[in-house]
Amino acid sequence: MRYRRTSRMTKPLHWNHRAGALGALALALLAQSLLTQTPFALPLVDALRVETAHLLAYGLLAAAMLLFALAAAPEPHAPAWPEPPRPQPRLALAFTWPALSLALALLGYLAGLALYLSAGESLAVRALWLAGPLLFLASYLPMRARPDRVATLPSDTWWEWALLALMTAAAFALRARYLTAIPGNIDGDITVVGREALALIGQPAWIGINTYFQFPQFFYMLSALSMRLFGQDLYGLFLGSVLIGTATIPAVFWLGRELADRRVGLLAAALLTISYTHNHLSRIVIPSAPLLIVTLLCACLWRGLRTGRGVWFALAGILFGLSPLVYYGARVTFVILPLLFLWLLIWQRRQISGQWRHWLALVFGALLAFGPMLGYALRQFDVVMGPHRDRHPHQPHRLRTSAQQIRRLHPAGPARAPDRTHASHLSPLQRHQPAVCLSRPHARLADRRAADAGPGPGARASA
């Protein structure tokens, strides 16, 4: 298929649209200041309770989203979207490649779910789980040759991609520098992720919820894959997170390019490259995958709405199905998608009525990507929804352990960066905690919890 390079069908924003967008940004900054005291501190926070300040911030965020939605609403006489594609003929009983791929994807999903419910997780269940989304995407391959599908793309130049490549390389260099030394004190949650990931190397378990933090097993398997490839130490644990965080730079560029133009995409990617917050989040394992999944989901969905091609809805659905399988932050997609659907239903109803098959493809892709976890969720719904309040009965305080302690207990790992850790400010309770992340990966859960709880009174007396 040959793309036709045309200009975007957008109308210059009127002054009231710009004022509404700037007002929404001001409300969002005010909400951020109430939550984090950045970029400026508000004296009002000292006079309010923490719960009241957070509730006020959430209200401001909701008002900002509503104001921006109203400001971004298109003019009634100037539609901001191209006409939806011509309706396709109804599905006929023919042995075409798309129909065969869809049938195989559905049968594979049902077979994998039945195998899991009857015999538990196995290699066959995981293979069928992986085959479902791949077969679903393969059903869209012949659509490239259809002449009635024309995508409107902005013109691109070589220097655009050269700048993006330079920014991506700079982002990786910033995030990989002193990888095992900064931050100097590693949060106990990260060390536990490394320990649980080590236990999964050679003993994979992709389905279910981990019993320690009640994170999905899929989340720990990503860390296990990173440690399997790059080393079973801190460096191997962190490098996979850095690569995922670096991949977010071109993803943000793509999203900005889809929403506006090349300039917005490059500016967003440049700001994210030097962002201290994203640099830090890319190094600490837990939030890196949710950021990438949410960004790619929004970019795929927006491109699907703009071009009218179902493959982008399918990709968005697969990413939507993966979002509950990583850290809880990715579940913001369950807020984004309904709000966007509601906005389209009000302002661009033709995008819903003219592309309802694509929205069904999004739901089907999400179902395939969620895979056999649906069977687990039906059995353990309360566990899948989130951690219980008593998930740390043996750990009354949030523990921190330094990178120096971890390397001392795991001397096989080579020193990859200068030691910049500082443990002098740790409390006595924190100082005596062993770095169980890399010490006994295959120990029983009871032994791990006993190690985290520290020595008992009798041990202290004998000492």
Side-chain angles (χ1 to χ4, degrees):
M1 172 181 141
R2 304 182 67 179
Y3 290 101
R4 181 185 304 165
R5 303 183 185 277
T6 60
S7 60
R8 292 184 180 272
M9 299 179 60
T10 55
K11 186 178 180 180
L13 291 178
H14 197 261
W15 68 269
N16 55 354
H17 290 245
R18 292 181 179 140
L22 291 176
L25 179 61
L27 290 178
L29 287 176
L30 184 60
Q32 179 178 335
S33 300
L34 284 174
L35 290 172
T36 64
Q37 293 295 295
T38 58
F40 46 84
L42 295 177
L44 177 64
V45 177
D46 299 332
L48 298 176
R49 296 177 55 190
V50 175
E51 295 81 2
T52 305
H54 286 187
L55 185 62
L56 180 60
Y58 299 147
L60 290 174
L61 285 176
M65 289 189 290
L66 178 61
L67 182 58
F68 186 81
L70 294 175
E75 296 289 343
H77 302 293
W81 301 93
E83 291 295 324
R86 293 192 298 252
Q88 299 296 319
R90 294 184 180 274
L91 182 63
L93 294 178
F95 290 99
T96 60
W97 171 247
L100 181 61
S101 299
L102 288 175
L104 290 177
L106 180 59
L107 291 176
Y109 171 76
L110 295 176
L113 185 60
L115 281 176
Y116 173 73
L117 291 176
S118 60
E121 183 176 354
S122 63
L123 181 60
V125 172
R126 292 193 290 267
L128 291 171
W129 185 5
L130 178 62
L134 294 179
L135 288 171
F136 182 43
L137 293 178
S139 66
Y140 287 94
L141 290 178
M143 295 180 63
R144 294 180 178 178
R146 292 187 179 180
D148 56 343
R149 297 278 181 166
V150 179
T152 57
L153 291 177
S155 58
D156 51 0
T157 55
W158 66 269
W159 60 264
E160 172 184 357
W161 302 106
L163 278 178
L164 180 62
L166 289 176
M167 286 188 291
T168 305
F172 176 77
L174 289 174
R175 285 152 180 77
R177 181 173 175 81
Y178 296 132
L179 189 55
T180 59
I182 300 175
N185 293 291
I186 302 174
D187 191 88
D189 291 0
I190 303 174
T191 62
V192 170
V193 169
R195 184 191 67 191
E196 299 297 318
L198 273 179
L200 294 175
I201 295 179
Q203 301 177 7
W206 292 87
I207 305 172
I209 301 295
N210 186 275
T211 56
Y212 192 90
F213 277 151
Q214 294 185 0
F215 294 163
Q217 288 290 113
F218 187 91
F219 165 77
Y220 289 100
M221 284 303 301
L222 294 178
S223 298
L225 180 62
S226 174
M227 300 180 79
R228 183 73 175 266
L229 293 175
F230 306 117
Q232 299 180 22
D233 54 6
L234 277 180
Y235 186 83
L237 174 64
F238 289 160
L239 186 57
S241 176
V242 166
L243 292 175
I244 294 176
T246 304
T248 312
I249 305 300
V252 165
F253 164 75
W254 181 29
L255 177 59
R257 197 167 182 262
E258 290 295 326
L259 291 174
D261 52 21
R262 177 196 307 119
R263 179 179 57 182
V264 172
L266 289 175
L267 181 60
L271 292 176
L272 194 66
T273 298
I274 60 174
S275 169
Y276 166 79
T277 302
H278 189 261
N279 192 337
H280 176 71
L281 295 180
S282 300
R283 303 166 71 100
I284 60 174
V285 181
I286 296 177
S288 55
L291 291 172
L292 180 60
I293 287 177
V294 173
T295 304
L296 290 176
L297 169 62
C298 295
C300 289
L301 184 56
W302 204 264
R303 187 176 180 85
L305 290 171
R306 186 172 61 82
T307 62
R309 293 192 61 190
V311 64
W312 299 111
F313 285 85
L315 284 170
I318 291 173
L319 292 166
F320 183 50
L322 292 178
S323 61
L325 302 181
V326 292
Y327 184 62
Y328 299 119
R331 298 186 183 185
V332 71
T333 55
F334 290 90
V335 178
I336 294 176
L337 277 183
L339 288 178
L340 179 61
F341 188 87
L342 182 62
W343 186 86
L344 291 174
L345 194 61
I346 296 174
W347 300 103
Q348 293 287 333
R349 188 170 301 177
R350 188 175 297 178
Q351 289 293 327
I352 305 297
S353 60
Q355 303 190 47
W356 61 270
R357 288 185 178 86
H358 297 336
W359 288 97
L360 289 180
L362 187 148
V363 175
F364 185 57
L367 191 66
L368 292 177
F370 197 56
M373 274 292 294
L374 179 63
Y376 184 89
L378 294 177
R379 293 175 172 177
Q380 305 284 342
F381 181 76
D382 55 339
V383 177
V384 174
M385 289 303 295
H388 295 295
R389 192 170 297 177
D390 58 343
R391 69 186 179 113
H392 293 296
H394 61 284
Q395 189 177 351
H397 303 283
R398 295 187 61 83
L399 308 176
R400 294 178 182 272
T401 180
S402 67
Q404 183 179 11
Q405 291 172 306
I406 294 178
R407 283 195 294 272
R408 186 183 302 123
L409 288 180
H410 189 66
R416 304 177 187 265
D419 180 45
R420 295 189 176 186
T421 58
H422 304 281
S424 58
H425 68 280
L426 295 178
S427 66
L429 175 63
Q430 296 169 333
R431 205 174 284 128
H432 82 267
Q433 293 297 326
V436 294
C437 166
L438 304 174
S439 56
R440 294 188 299 159
H442 300 290
R444 293 179 304 171
L445 181 61
D447 295 338
R448 297 174 187 171
R449 292 183 173 179
D452 284 336
R460 294 192 186 95
S462 61

